[in-house]
Amino acid sequence: MTGKFEIAVFQGDGIGPEIMAPTIEILRQMSDASPDYDLTFTNAPAGAAHYAQTGDSFPDMSMEIARSADAILLSAMGLPDVRYEDGTEISPQIDLRKKLGLFAGVRPVRVQAGQSTPLALPPGKEIDFVLVRESTEGLFHTQGCGEVLENEARETLLITRDVSEKLFKFTFDLAEERRKQGKGKGHVTCVDKANVFRAFAFFRDMFDAEAKQHPQLEANHAYVDATALWMVQKPWEFDVLVTENMFGDILSDLGAGLMGGLGLAPSADIGLNHAVFQPCHGSAPDIAGQGIANPFAMILSAAMMLEWLGSRNDNDALISDGSRLQNAVEKVISDGNSLTRDLGGEAGTEAAASSVLQEVLVA
Ligand code: ATP
């Protein structure tokens, strides 16, 4: 099916605009070359620099642009020196997750043969799993309004039936989709701490109920501490993992570490009607303005966006362009000739991104 798709673009702070510009350029060229879809882009101002200039970190107009778009592309937001009066950081991306109900934080972790990783992978082993992080509640429930008294402080962890049931359905559907595409083994693991906290026993019960609806998939449980150990000792055994917000926050950085750094880790925050695609890393103010930021996580996030738009709208061209873009980034990484400094190379942002574009054009 041919389709026109409007993309809301949050350029963000720090290195955000530097990695967004070449990503949009690649997407524009792919869209121009395809008779089967047409992407248009609308900027939605928001973030720490916008707050410093205007006193508003997330204008209503930008929320409206996001809400009415077919998909949302976001780079990185927040600057350590620009904060609200109560000292908390500016993070419109978290407001977006809550306001648009983006309960499923999808964090793919892939290390292919030849790609550098801090682990010594046994011969023939590759890492290819997806961590699904609940992204609207859990221990982030009281974010910004935790109770701080003179001698104690409190935050509340919230697990709801409504969000958990949607989360588990999404996770099992994802595992099924991966299995059909020959990417996964059809295993889903619930990562929790059900031996200590009743809230996680509740979480696990709802996972088990959803598992019963998917007899073709294998479902099991793992405690979060053991999962951290296994992600280092035998990460090739995982397929799809699902967990609470804070556990997922921590494990996704461990996943990024397996991939050789934050500069290679893409993500998506997906709800029933909207989705935001953004790299896992922050705005990296220490290297902003130098043209040396790694654009690969941003480009891989854009590839996830194409695949999501394609499956949601029955558009095979978008799905295949999503994997073409992912393959192009992986080819540039494994060739090793156009790596940015964080990956041990010398290429700048523009050069690294234009190598990806060349790969896409020849693929
Ligand atoms: P946040 O809390 O907003 O997620 P953070 O404090 O975890 O941010 P980042 O901004 O992600 O930090 O940066 C952490 C380190 O990784 C910094 O040294 C930064 O320069 C580096 N880094 C992050 N993203 C990239 C990138 N795309 N290219 C190169 N280096 C990066």
Side-chain angles (χ1 to χ4, degrees):
M1 199 180 94
T2 309
K4 285 183 181 299
F5 301 98
E6 181 64 39
I7 313 298
V9 177
F10 288 81
Q11 299 274 350
D13 297 307
I15 61 169
E18 298 170 41
I19 56 175
M20 184 62 88
T23 303
I24 301 271
E25 178 56 25
I26 293 170
L27 291 175
R28 269 193 213 288
Q29 294 219 21
M30 294 180 87
S31 170
D32 288 350
S34 174
D36 298 314
Y37 65 89
D38 182 18
L39 303 180
T40 51
F41 302 89
T42 306
N43 275 322
H50 193 74
Y51 178 75
Q53 279 164 11
T54 65
D56 188 356
S57 62
F58 196 174
D60 291 346
M61 180 58 147
S62 297
M63 186 65 216
E64 213 23 65
I65 292 171
R67 207 182 277 284
S68 57
D70 295 295
I72 302 160
L73 203 52
L74 191 151
S75 51
M77 285 207 226
L79 291 170
D81 302 338
V82 182
R83 294 188 180 234
Y84 294 120
E85 278 174 15
D86 66 0
T88 55
E89 278 190 41
I90 284 145
S91 42
Q93 64 277 27
I94 296 179
D95 299 338
L96 267 175
R97 278 178 213 157
K98 290 190 173 168
K99 287 186 181 160
L100 298 181
L102 310 179
F103 53 84
V106 180
R107 312 288 148 95
V109 179
R110 276 168 64 85
V111 179
Q112 303 215 286
Q115 185 178 331
S116 140
T117 167
L119 298 183
L121 285 184
K125 297 282 187 207
E126 294 188 339
I127 303 174
D128 183 0
F129 67 86
V130 181
L131 179 69
V132 181
R133 164 193 176 186
E134 195 291 312
S135 298
T136 55
E137 51 183 34
L139 197 48
F140 283 69
H141 171 60
T142 45
Q143 190 198 8
C145 52
E147 190 185 4
V148 181
L149 305 175
E150 196 179 341
N151 294 314
E152 60 187 57
R154 228 174 245 109
E155 304 274 351
T156 304
L157 177 142
L158 177 75
I159 305 283
T160 65
R161 177 175 297 284
D162 176 46
V163 169
S164 305
E165 287 180 349
K166 287 191 285 204
L167 176 78
F168 295 136
K169 175 167 188 330
F170 175 92
T171 304
F172 279 92
D173 287 348
L174 174 74
E176 184 57 45
E177 193 56 37
R178 276 170 59 83
R179 195 176 66 99
K180 278 194 205 136
Q181 292 173 1
K183 287 185 189 165
K185 306 172 191 143
H187 289 185
V188 187
T189 306
C190 179
V191 178
D192 59 42
K193 196 72 184 168
N195 52 338
V196 177
F197 297 103
R198 293 174 71 187
F200 282 112
F202 176 66
F203 188 70
R204 192 181 267 208
D205 282 349
M206 290 180 286
F207 172 87
D208 289 344
E210 184 63 35
K212 290 203 178 91
Q213 308 298 318
H214 305 268
Q216 68 287 14
L217 298 172
E218 194 180 303
N220 61 8
H221 315 112
Y223 297 130
V224 64
D225 40 349
T227 304
L229 179 78
W230 294 332
M231 274 176 70
V232 174
Q233 286 186 338
K234 46 177 185 176
W236 49 86
E237 295 206 349
F238 292 122
D239 180 8
V240 177
L241 308 171
V242 58
T243 192
E244 177 270 340
N245 206 344
M246 178 62 106
F247 291 166
D249 188 28
I250 298 165
L251 291 181
S252 56
D253 267 29
L254 178 47
L258 296 178
M259 285 194 279
L262 280 168
L264 293 180
S267 82
D269 288 310
I270 300 179
L272 296 181
N273 300 311
H274 302 275
V276 172
F277 299 83
Q278 70 171 119
C280 286
H281 60 72
S283 62
D286 53 333
I287 57 163
Q290 299 175 38
I292 58 171
N294 179 347
F296 294 153
M298 181 78 246
I299 300 172
L300 288 168
S301 306
M304 289 175 78
M305 180 185 81
L306 296 182
E307 288 204 35
W308 178 81
L309 269 175
S311 354
R312 202 175 152 76
N313 295 285
D314 269 339
N315 187 313
D316 290 342
L318 275 166
I319 297 177
S320 94
D321 272 5
S323 46
R324 194 153 64 98
L325 185 52
Q326 178 189 324
N327 293 339
V329 175
E330 290 179 351
K331 174 84 168 41
V332 170
I333 294 168
S334 62
D335 284 353
N337 298 323
S338 209
L339 299 180
T340 43
R341 291 182 200 192
D342 55 309
L343 301 177
E346 293 185 350
T349 310
E350 287 296 335
S354 86
S355 300
V356 174
L357 181 58
Q358 294 318 312
E359 281 300 330
V360 167
L361 295 178
V362 296

